[in-house]
Amino acid sequence: MTSRGAGTAFSRKNYRLSTEPEKSKVTGIVNSRLLNDYLHRVFTSADGSQPAAAYRKHLTFQNLQEHLERLLAEENGSEESRDQVAEGRLGPSTVVLDHTSGFEGLLLVDDDLLGVIGHSNFGSIRATTCVYKGKWIYEVLISSQGLMQIGWCTLNCRFNQEEGVGDTPDSYAYDGNRVRKWNVTTTNYGKSWAAGDIVSCLIDLDEGTIAFCLNGISLGTAFDNITRGAGMAYFPAISLSFKESVAFNFGSRPLRYPVEGYRPLQDPPVADLVKARKLLGYLKNVIHIGIDVTEGKLVEKDTSMWQLQGEPTVLITLAHIFNYFSPLMCKVYLVEDVLMTFLLSILERGGAVESHPLIQQLLDLMWLLMEEYEVHECLKQLLMSLLRAYRFSPIIPDLGLQIHYLRLTIAVLKHEKSRKYLLSNVLFDVLRSVVFFYIKSPLRVEEAGLQELIPTTWWPNRFTKEGKENKEVKEESAEERLRRRAYERGCQRLKKRIEVVEGLQVQILKLLLNNKDRGGGEASRYIFLNKFRKFLQENASNRGNLTVLCPPEYMVCFLHRLIAALRFFWDGHKAKTPAALSSEEAYVPPQLFYNGKVDYFDLQRLGGLLSHLKKTLKDDLAAKANILIDPAELQAVTMDDLDEDEESATSAAQSQRPSAALAIGGALARPAWLSSPTLGRANRFLSTAAVSLMNPRRPLGTLEKIKVLTLRVEQRTREDIEGTHGNEGLLLGRPPEEPDQPITENSLLEVLDGIVMMYNLSVHQQLGKMVGVSDDVNEYAMALKDTEEKISRCPKRRRDIHEELLKSQKVFSEKLNHLSRRLAWINVTIYSKEKMQDIYWLLRVCIRTIEHGDRTGSLFAFMPEFYLSVAMNSYSALKNYFSPVNSMEELPGYEETLMRLAAILAKHFADSRIVGTDIRDSLMQALASYVCYPHSLRAVERIPEEQRISMMKNLLAPYEQRPWAQTNWILVRLWRGCGFGYRYTRLPHLLKTKPEDASLPSLQKPCPSTLLQRHMADLLRSDRDLAPSFLNSVLNQLNWAFSEFIGMIQEIQQAAERLERNFVDSRQLKVCATCFDLSVSLLRVLEMTVTLAPEIFLDWNRPSSELLLRRLAQLLNQVLNRVTAERNLFDRVVNLRLPGLESVDHYPILVAVTGILVRLLVDTDVQGTERATAVLLADPCFQLRSIQYLLGHAEPSALAAAAPATDKRHFSLHTYTEYISAEELAKVEKMLNHLSEESKQAAATTLPTSEEDLCPICYAHPISAIFRPCSHKSCKACINQHLMNNKDCFFCKATITGVDDFTKPASS
């Protein structure tokens, strides 16, 4: 091997140099006397003593190897005796999991056969070695805190998918998920475990006991008098449910928590350990002892500042040491026990990592004096040990352990050659390096020391019993104020400690993002970029396979650290290049989405599939971006081609895999490294159905094979990303709409793009999940408050009740103390102000990116969908998840950001360039939520007028052939607060029930928008085609929704009346309630239209007005008749009060109908009232009784029939005085009087009509129209309604060319 360093090159095996005195000046090697003293000082004997100078053998470099071998051979005799097979143990000396026959179910096992992931209901596996005598221990590293049973079993134990370790007579287990111990029966035992804990399993076969420890703390004896004797030997074993994962340490690595008197199942490599420690001692001596050539003596040196300054004597001495030390440093146990411990001890002196250059010097030595494969293996094992130590260290108040391991990681990564090797081959390929950026949340607050850090707990009491926020904020008492301030001080102490860890994590990322270290190959940043993109691909392409995904809690921490590091470099570049943008103005330019320089895998674009966009928009790409698509790339990849590829790939896979492996399909497509418990990536698949072993490194699955045209990420260089003169790199193809201004370094743009993708993959979901702790605090606080009120009201004579209440109070208080401390941790690590600012920054990045992309016209279709998703979701997170701790309104530029997001939602929810139905629905839902809150609604009102009008026009598009429920909901929200009796937040009959979530958009106070209503009215009046098409579609949907609702309640009523016990399907009830809610909201939109633009119905100069009015009257009469009939179907179903049908009641639907009628019959001019009255009375379904029902008036016959049931209350608008004003009630009285008079007059003047003269279609109106050319006849209402959808005659199917008025001749 030839190595660079200190100006010397030599082979490790060939360094016997001359030590003759005359050569010392030439070679730099000291004289023989000084060399002899130096070598004796360095290579001391085992006891550290040195023989007197007279008895010492003269040492030179010629006989040093022989001397060193003799020193290393000392004590070997005693060591050999220790290496003999220990009594009481049977099986291989290297203990692993038995992957050949000792398992049940489906399991994924790591390559080292020490980590396992459950892949079936309840898989079990045991180790290869058993014990029958003595005291033994092994450790289990818990990677997920789910259902597992860990312990011991015998060879006779038979497990299945329901019964595992502890469920059979001779097996014993501890289950920290349910906090129980298992041996056929089960009892409470131990403490709950969490991911990152270590369980020690101890068996004493001399005493017959089994015990367990959690993070080194004994949980006590779990089992005694276990079965022993002939044929009884115990194997370590585990049973675990689907997706749970652990890693075993039988002794292949140093035990984290050794117990005195207990031996690990696998013996440590004692001889190698002694040898490595001796060699490390010699290495330390070299560092401590210096040679003063001028004085001719040895001197003590300051080890912290030691450097190898090209001294051949020292270099050759070190080469002798490394000749023996290097092979030992390839072994896991020795790296962790010897090397890592030594490196950590260097950093223990405190100070910044930079103040310890010795570690850099040692790494230089390793690269110089070790074979390359040895350095690689040593560094890999060192990083694995550091990662494992970081992840499985318990949380202590000052986070000292985590800080310790992160500091050493930084020190190692500061070494350029080591960093590049680790980045290229280890950090993302072998390790779950994202773990380094995670700060785990303590499940057991007491052990984490949070009681000392936050001695005083506090929680807000701002919720009423109904779960609504208490608006009457009571004055905070002095005691509460003191508690809150003490709690806040504790939270600040915790925050400062966590910020230290976060700062170290950001330092690691700064090292990985360094782009100035170009010595010896590509800079670190470009290696990181390629690995980071691959990491994103693995997470994006395996969304359904949880064993492959990076856990979301890791992603959240990684995202925040990456944002901090990115902004550091971005602003650093801005400082050097003033013309560039600052990180506050950051965005991703649109050309990244279509120039093919960044791989977006198979992620959906706004305009559909990339292959389709390249074909349809190739001319736009050529014209706008000067990008020509390779004709070979345009050859259509049809679905048939894809199917063929998949089939061939599947058949190839089938020939390589066992049949059972195929049972889990895509789950095997990639290595499940992200759930791999030992933090390594590769694993094997075990199945009892076909006992076989997957190849250690599985070939890539079909997901990669299909994508033949994607970018080869690994092959990209700095020039491909940053570009050079005449080459724009990632920014190739700048469209004319994009400013010709430097943004930042191109590589940082790709990191930013990756951050946005990370948020979309799992960060948002995790932010929502952690809010649950805050919800728990609120629930327990309400329960405690309720209990304290009961205690104060409890009679003194009922001491039994009083004692029970006191017990409950104690339980709730303890739980709240625990949760409030845990919440403090979560608020600091996830919901702090700084984290909120990160998410806000990301929201603004997405808004700017969407705005720049939108300007490119048709090329906007190339933007990945996740940019719009992240813009909507990050706003939702800021509003809903961070609000208890921090307010979004305090963020800089909040109002402007809100308005810009509103403009995006308003423009793109109906954008023809966006084809994906899911993203269109999401935009619609986001806009619907936006208009429910006053702040965001005002933001919509502040967007430019042209955009507002365009939005309203899109909302008024016909409801057919598109999702219309959300559109209708938006219009309803704009109206709510203006309609008849429509000022409620919750329906009157639901006030006494607890809302599911008071923060839901539907439960917000009414906040109507008169500005948007005005736009709607102008559009309906000015566009004569828009109004009829919109209103016809609303009437059609109302007809459908109400008919469906009536049909469903008939089925529900029939099911309820059967004698046998029936359960109505909850889904059917939900659909029924939805149809009712839709009917009400459609009626409200009609009320809104009638109020804002009554002439659409009442100005009969408009061609469709009369028809629309007739259809409206017909539907209103149908609704009224169905809902108001005495003892009718609607009444009976409402009185059942079925869960799921809570919203179904008389009030919401009747006030909506009343609002329309009042507007048509009372709040309009005389001519309008006459027309509306005539049409309403002319409808054959009209019943005056239905109108009387609204005010509680019943027909005399009905009153007589109902006389015995005096307790039955009739519906009446008069009972809702809190919701309906006196003025509104007076209008209803006026309407009723008017209709009563008009109906009497109509009855008096109506002449009987013969059947022959009635319309043959509806039999309700006289014939009044004749069709051309066939001369068939009907009433105008029927033919006008028919011609809206069909041009064929009712009777002869001839095409109707015209309709004329028909008057019956007088002679007949």
Short mmCIF file of all heavy atoms in Angstrom, two decimals, residues 586-614:
data_model
loop_
_atom_site.label_atom_id
_atom_site.label_comp_id
_atom_site.label_asym_id
_atom_site.label_seq_id
_atom_site.Cartn_x
_atom_site.Cartn_y
_atom_site.Cartn_z
N ALA A 586 -36.03 33.05 -0.44
CA ALA A 586 -35.72 31.80 -1.16
C ALA A 586 -36.93 31.23 -1.89
O ALA A 586 -38.07 31.36 -1.43
CB ALA A 586 -35.20 30.77 -0.15
N TYR A 587 -36.67 30.63 -3.03
CA TYR A 587 -37.69 29.87 -3.76
C TYR A 587 -36.98 28.90 -4.70
O TYR A 587 -35.75 28.99 -4.89
CB TYR A 587 -38.63 30.79 -4.53
CG TYR A 587 -38.02 31.46 -5.75
CD1 TYR A 587 -38.17 30.92 -7.03
CD2 TYR A 587 -37.28 32.64 -5.63
CE1 TYR A 587 -37.60 31.52 -8.14
CE2 TYR A 587 -36.72 33.25 -6.74
CZ TYR A 587 -36.87 32.69 -7.99
OH TYR A 587 -36.31 33.28 -9.10
N VAL A 588 -37.72 27.97 -5.26
CA VAL A 588 -37.15 27.01 -6.21
C VAL A 588 -37.56 27.46 -7.61
O VAL A 588 -38.76 27.52 -7.91
CB VAL A 588 -37.66 25.58 -5.93
CG1 VAL A 588 -37.07 24.60 -6.94
CG2 VAL A 588 -37.29 25.16 -4.51
N PRO A 589 -36.61 27.79 -8.48
CA PRO A 589 -36.97 28.28 -9.82
C PRO A 589 -37.66 27.20 -10.65
O PRO A 589 -37.38 26.01 -10.50
CB PRO A 589 -35.63 28.69 -10.43
CG PRO A 589 -34.60 27.97 -9.65
CD PRO A 589 -35.15 27.74 -8.28
N PRO A 590 -38.58 27.60 -11.56
CA PRO A 590 -39.42 26.62 -12.26
C PRO A 590 -38.66 25.68 -13.19
O PRO A 590 -39.13 24.58 -13.47
CB PRO A 590 -40.42 27.49 -13.04
CG PRO A 590 -39.83 28.85 -13.08
CD PRO A 590 -38.97 28.99 -11.88
N GLN A 591 -37.46 26.10 -13.68
CA GLN A 591 -36.78 25.23 -14.64
C GLN A 591 -36.32 23.91 -14.03
O GLN A 591 -36.11 22.94 -14.75
CB GLN A 591 -35.61 25.96 -15.31
CG GLN A 591 -34.59 26.60 -14.39
CD GLN A 591 -34.88 28.06 -14.14
OE1 GLN A 591 -36.01 28.41 -13.84
NE2 GLN A 591 -33.88 28.92 -14.24
N LEU A 592 -36.18 23.86 -12.71
CA LEU A 592 -35.80 22.59 -12.07
C LEU A 592 -36.83 21.50 -12.34
O LEU A 592 -36.51 20.31 -12.31
CB LEU A 592 -35.66 22.77 -10.55
CG LEU A 592 -34.24 22.84 -10.01
CD1 LEU A 592 -33.60 24.15 -10.43
CD2 LEU A 592 -34.22 22.71 -8.50
N PHE A 593 -38.08 21.91 -12.59
CA PHE A 593 -39.16 20.93 -12.70
C PHE A 593 -39.25 20.31 -14.09
O PHE A 593 -39.91 19.30 -14.26
CB PHE A 593 -40.50 21.59 -12.34
CG PHE A 593 -40.50 22.28 -11.01
CD1 PHE A 593 -41.05 23.54 -10.85
CD2 PHE A 593 -39.90 21.68 -9.91
CE1 PHE A 593 -41.03 24.19 -9.62
CE2 PHE A 593 -39.87 22.32 -8.67
CZ PHE A 593 -40.43 23.58 -8.53
N TYR A 594 -38.62 20.96 -15.10
CA TYR A 594 -38.77 20.39 -16.45
C TYR A 594 -37.45 20.14 -17.18
O TYR A 594 -37.46 19.54 -18.25
CB TYR A 594 -39.69 21.28 -17.31
CG TYR A 594 -39.27 22.72 -17.45
CD1 TYR A 594 -38.17 23.09 -18.23
CD2 TYR A 594 -39.99 23.74 -16.83
CE1 TYR A 594 -37.79 24.42 -18.35
CE2 TYR A 594 -39.62 25.07 -16.95
CZ TYR A 594 -38.52 25.41 -17.73
OH TYR A 594 -38.14 26.72 -17.85
N ASN A 595 -36.30 20.61 -16.64
CA ASN A 595 -35.08 20.44 -17.42
C ASN A 595 -34.41 19.08 -17.20
O ASN A 595 -33.36 18.81 -17.80
CB ASN A 595 -34.09 21.59 -17.16
CG ASN A 595 -33.60 21.63 -15.72
OD1 ASN A 595 -33.73 20.67 -14.97
ND2 ASN A 595 -33.04 22.77 -15.32
N GLY A 596 -34.99 18.24 -16.34
CA GLY A 596 -34.46 16.88 -16.17
C GLY A 596 -33.20 16.78 -15.34
O GLY A 596 -32.63 15.70 -15.20
N LYS A 597 -32.74 17.89 -14.75
CA LYS A 597 -31.51 17.86 -13.96
C LYS A 597 -31.74 17.32 -12.55
O LYS A 597 -30.81 16.91 -11.87
CB LYS A 597 -30.91 19.27 -13.86
CG LYS A 597 -30.45 19.84 -15.20
CD LYS A 597 -29.15 19.19 -15.65
CE LYS A 597 -28.59 19.87 -16.88
NZ LYS A 597 -27.33 19.26 -17.31
N VAL A 598 -32.99 17.41 -12.09
CA VAL A 598 -33.34 16.89 -10.76
C VAL A 598 -34.37 15.79 -10.94
O VAL A 598 -35.36 15.97 -11.65
CB VAL A 598 -33.91 18.01 -9.86
CG1 VAL A 598 -34.35 17.45 -8.52
CG2 VAL A 598 -32.87 19.09 -9.64
N ASP A 599 -34.13 14.66 -10.31
CA ASP A 599 -35.02 13.50 -10.46
C ASP A 599 -36.18 13.60 -9.46
O ASP A 599 -35.96 13.70 -8.25
CB ASP A 599 -34.22 12.22 -10.21
CG ASP A 599 -35.03 10.97 -10.50
OD1 ASP A 599 -36.18 11.12 -10.96
OD2 ASP A 599 -34.52 9.86 -10.28
N TYR A 600 -37.41 13.58 -9.98
CA TYR A 600 -38.59 13.57 -9.10
C TYR A 600 -39.26 12.19 -9.07
O TYR A 600 -40.42 12.08 -8.70
CB TYR A 600 -39.59 14.64 -9.56
CG TYR A 600 -39.10 16.03 -9.23
CD1 TYR A 600 -38.52 16.82 -10.21
CD2 TYR A 600 -39.19 16.53 -7.94
CE1 TYR A 600 -38.04 18.09 -9.89
CE2 TYR A 600 -38.72 17.78 -7.62
CZ TYR A 600 -38.13 18.56 -8.61
OH TYR A 600 -37.67 19.80 -8.28
N PHE A 601 -38.49 11.16 -9.48
CA PHE A 601 -38.95 9.77 -9.39
C PHE A 601 -40.30 9.63 -10.11
O PHE A 601 -40.47 10.18 -11.19
CB PHE A 601 -39.02 9.31 -7.93
CG PHE A 601 -38.09 10.05 -7.01
CD1 PHE A 601 -38.55 10.68 -5.86
CD2 PHE A 601 -36.73 10.15 -7.30
CE1 PHE A 601 -37.70 11.38 -5.04
CE2 PHE A 601 -35.87 10.84 -6.48
CZ PHE A 601 -36.35 11.45 -5.34
N ASP A 602 -41.23 8.96 -9.48
CA ASP A 602 -42.53 8.78 -10.13
C ASP A 602 -43.59 9.69 -9.48
O ASP A 602 -44.77 9.40 -9.51
CB ASP A 602 -42.98 7.32 -10.04
CG ASP A 602 -42.85 6.78 -8.63
OD1 ASP A 602 -42.43 7.55 -7.74
OD2 ASP A 602 -43.17 5.61 -8.39
N LEU A 603 -43.15 10.80 -8.89
CA LEU A 603 -44.10 11.70 -8.22
C LEU A 603 -44.96 12.42 -9.26
O LEU A 603 -44.50 12.80 -10.32
CB LEU A 603 -43.36 12.72 -7.35
CG LEU A 603 -42.61 12.14 -6.15
CD1 LEU A 603 -41.85 13.23 -5.43
CD2 LEU A 603 -43.56 11.44 -5.20
N GLN A 604 -46.23 12.62 -8.88
CA GLN A 604 -47.20 13.22 -9.81
C GLN A 604 -46.90 14.70 -10.03
O GLN A 604 -46.59 15.43 -9.10
CB GLN A 604 -48.61 13.05 -9.23
CG GLN A 604 -49.73 13.44 -10.17
CD GLN A 604 -50.00 12.40 -11.23
OE1 GLN A 604 -49.38 11.35 -11.24
NE2 GLN A 604 -50.91 12.69 -12.13
N ARG A 605 -47.00 15.13 -11.30
CA ARG A 605 -46.89 16.55 -11.62
C ARG A 605 -48.29 17.15 -11.69
O ARG A 605 -49.28 16.42 -11.83
CB ARG A 605 -46.19 16.75 -12.97
CG ARG A 605 -44.87 16.01 -13.14
CD ARG A 605 -43.83 16.45 -12.14
NE ARG A 605 -42.56 15.78 -12.32
CZ ARG A 605 -41.49 16.34 -12.88
NH1 ARG A 605 -41.54 17.58 -13.28
NH2 ARG A 605 -40.36 15.65 -12.99
N LEU A 606 -48.37 18.48 -11.65
CA LEU A 606 -49.69 19.13 -11.69
C LEU A 606 -50.43 18.80 -12.98
O LEU A 606 -51.65 18.68 -13.00
CB LEU A 606 -49.53 20.65 -11.56
CG LEU A 606 -49.04 21.17 -10.21
CD1 LEU A 606 -48.85 22.67 -10.26
CD2 LEU A 606 -49.99 20.79 -9.10
N GLY A 607 -49.68 18.63 -14.06
CA GLY A 607 -50.32 18.35 -15.35
C GLY A 607 -50.43 16.89 -15.69
O GLY A 607 -50.82 16.53 -16.81
N GLY A 608 -50.07 16.01 -14.77
CA GLY A 608 -50.17 14.57 -15.03
C GLY A 608 -48.80 13.92 -15.08
O GLY A 608 -47.85 14.38 -14.44
N LEU A 609 -48.68 12.85 -15.86
CA LEU A 609 -47.42 12.11 -15.95
C LEU A 609 -46.38 12.90 -16.73
O LEU A 609 -46.71 13.58 -17.71
CB LEU A 609 -47.65 10.76 -16.62
CG LEU A 609 -48.47 9.74 -15.83
CD1 LEU A 609 -48.79 8.54 -16.70
CD2 LEU A 609 -47.73 9.30 -14.58
N LEU A 610 -45.12 12.77 -16.35
CA LEU A 610 -44.04 13.51 -17.00
C LEU A 610 -43.94 13.12 -18.48
O LEU A 610 -43.75 13.97 -19.34
CB LEU A 610 -42.72 13.23 -16.27
CG LEU A 610 -41.49 13.94 -16.82
CD1 LEU A 610 -41.66 15.45 -16.73
CD2 LEU A 610 -40.23 13.52 -16.07
N SER A 611 -44.07 11.83 -18.78
CA SER A 611 -43.96 11.38 -20.17
C SER A 611 -45.03 12.03 -21.03
O SER A 611 -44.78 12.45 -22.16
CB SER A 611 -44.07 9.86 -20.24
OG SER A 611 -45.27 9.42 -19.61
N HIS A 612 -46.23 12.17 -20.48
CA HIS A 612 -47.34 12.82 -21.21
C HIS A 612 -47.04 14.30 -21.40
O HIS A 612 -47.25 14.85 -22.49
CB HIS A 612 -48.63 12.63 -20.41
CG HIS A 612 -49.75 13.52 -20.84
ND1 HIS A 612 -50.45 13.33 -22.01
CD2 HIS A 612 -50.29 14.64 -20.26
CE1 HIS A 612 -51.37 14.28 -22.12
NE2 HIS A 612 -51.29 15.08 -21.08
N LEU A 613 -46.52 14.96 -20.38
CA LEU A 613 -46.23 16.39 -20.48
C LEU A 613 -45.13 16.67 -21.50
O LEU A 613 -45.18 17.66 -22.23
CB LEU A 613 -45.81 16.94 -19.11
CG LEU A 613 -46.91 17.00 -18.05
CD1 LEU A 613 -46.33 17.40 -16.70
CD2 LEU A 613 -47.99 17.99 -18.45
N LYS A 614 -44.13 15.79 -21.54
CA LYS A 614 -43.04 15.98 -22.50
C LYS A 614 -43.56 15.91 -23.93
O LYS A 614 -43.05 16.60 -24.82
CB LYS A 614 -41.95 14.94 -22.27
CG LYS A 614 -41.04 15.25 -21.09
CD LYS A 614 -39.99 14.18 -20.96
CE LYS A 614 -39.01 14.54 -19.83
NZ LYS A 614 -38.03 13.48 -19.61
#
